Amino acid sequence: PGVTRHRGGDRVAPSGGGHCGVCDNCQTGLAVRCTDSVPMVSEGYAELCLAPERSVMRIPDGVGFAEASIVRCAIGTPLRGIYLEGKEPKSHDNILILGAGGGLGIHALQLAALTGGRVIASTTTESKVPILRQYGADDVVCTPDGRFHEQVMDLTDGHGADYVIDTVGGSTFNAGGFRALAYYGRYVFVGQINNEYARFPVPWLFWREAVLTGCTGGMYADTLRSLRLMEAGRIEAVISERFPIEETPKMHRLLQDRQIVGRSVISFE
Ligand SMILES: [Zn+2]
């Protein structure tokens, strides 16, 4: 009842746009602080779910359900992190993607490559190296112990990364993410997959005059832009495995063992 924007049979996916569009914050470009937002599609695994119409978006023809289902989170979020407030990298920048083989990372990699900058991917899993090159990495640092900053410094002649897009969180920051950051660099947290706190001596920050920041999940505009990039064939939603609902425990096991490249989906088709 009350649905006006969509019709029965429309193909829709989460948009990240539960905001109202008309409150003062929405009208002034601060939709993140919408005072009348509705929750997005509820979390969990189900064949059917109830969603406010504001929180879903039409899927363009040519984009599949599985691909569209991951767009808001896996592509919209790193897109927002890389392009936030028009501070996108320039073609002379080094962009380091941490956790590059993961669901956010493999898409951050493709988005970073679109900027024309030099993209360095970091992973702890050797088998993911060729895949990271395939999706846009100019260089890959693979360090099972996670201590990658020396390699990044070597690759950049001691300059470091002008942008660090961290999809892992505190552990990668502490292991070398922050030390890999260039002077005046921009460190963007787009995810946190463990409980480790980020720690650093404060002078490291002021000596470098660096910026530590983060971004919330993809908002409506980020999801829309992501879908358009997909439609134009400029980026690809990477889904390496599809599971029936009965195999959910197996999927979680593979995720925990870092054996999934990009995202995996549960499919009811
Ligand atoms: Zn609003």
Side-chain angles (χ1 to χ4, degrees):
V3 174
T4 57
R5 215 179 299 176
H6 305 295
R7 285 196 308 244
D10 280 355
R11 302 164 70 243
V12 296
S15 68
H19 50 277
C20 73
V22 293
C23 72
D24 287 352
N25 286 335
C26 281
Q27 293 280 23
T28 52
L30 301 171
V32 172
R33 281 154 53 182
C34 175
T35 53
D36 189 25
S37 65
V38 292
M40 291 188 291
V41 179
S42 52
E43 293 170 1
Y45 304 133
E47 195 166 358
L48 296 172
C49 74
L50 194 62
E53 70 165 332
R54 265 197 238 157
S55 72
V56 296
M57 179 183 283
R58 282 280 292 278
I59 303 172
D61 296 340
V63 175
F65 273 121
E67 288 75 15
S69 74
I70 71 165
V71 169
R72 187 207 68 81
C73 177
I75 306 179
T77 305
L79 184 144
R80 188 174 182 82
I82 294 170
Y83 292 92
L84 191 69
E85 296 168 7
K87 296 190 190 320
E88 63 262 45
K90 307 288 187 301
S91 57
H92 57 260
D93 286 326
N94 300 314
I95 310 156
L96 174 63
I97 311 292
L98 303 183
L104 291 166
I106 198 91
H107 300 106
L109 198 59
Q110 298 178 64
L111 292 160
L114 289 182
T115 68
R118 178 185 185 181
V119 183
I120 304 170
S122 169
T123 181
T124 54
T125 313
E126 183 75 45
S127 60
K128 291 183 180 175
V129 172
I131 302 165
L132 300 181
R133 289 193 186 280
Q134 180 193 331
Y135 282 106
D138 296 300
D139 297 286
V140 182
V141 292
C142 179
T143 49
D145 65 354
R147 304 192 72 80
F148 49 82
H149 67 280
E150 285 165 6
Q151 288 187 45
V152 173
M153 284 300 174
D154 286 347
L155 282 169
T156 57
D157 297 326
H159 179 85
D162 302 292
Y163 284 75
V164 178
I165 308 298
D166 188 339
T167 70
V168 182
S171 60
T172 44
F173 180 95
N174 295 338
F178 192 65
R179 270 168 287 181
L181 191 63
Y183 278 75
Y184 314 111
R186 186 173 173 83
Y187 198 107
V188 188
F189 287 105
V190 299
Q192 168 82 12
I193 58 170
N194 54 54
N195 295 325
E196 194 168 326
Y197 281 26
R199 297 173 195 282
F200 63 95
V202 172
W204 285 13
L205 190 62
F206 62 65
W207 281 332
R208 287 175 166 83
E209 299 201 351
V211 174
L212 279 183
T213 185
C215 83
T216 186
M219 301 289 288
Y220 191 96
D222 309 306
T223 310
L224 189 63
R225 190 167 169 187
S226 301
L227 281 169
R228 287 184 177 158
L229 287 169
M230 284 168 67
E231 215 184 349
R234 300 188 68 196
I235 56 169
E236 181 189 328
V238 181
I239 295 170
S240 59
E241 303 234 29
R242 294 163 200 248
F243 299 89
I245 187 87
E246 299 78 24
E247 290 185 16
T248 305
K250 179 184 168 195
M251 181 186 76
H252 280 279
R253 221 165 32 244
L254 289 167
L255 278 169
Q256 241 156 18
D257 295 342
R258 302 179 189 176
Q259 294 306 308
I260 302 278
V261 175
R263 279 275 158 102
S264 53
V265 298
I266 293 170
S267 174
F268 296 94
E269 289 176 316

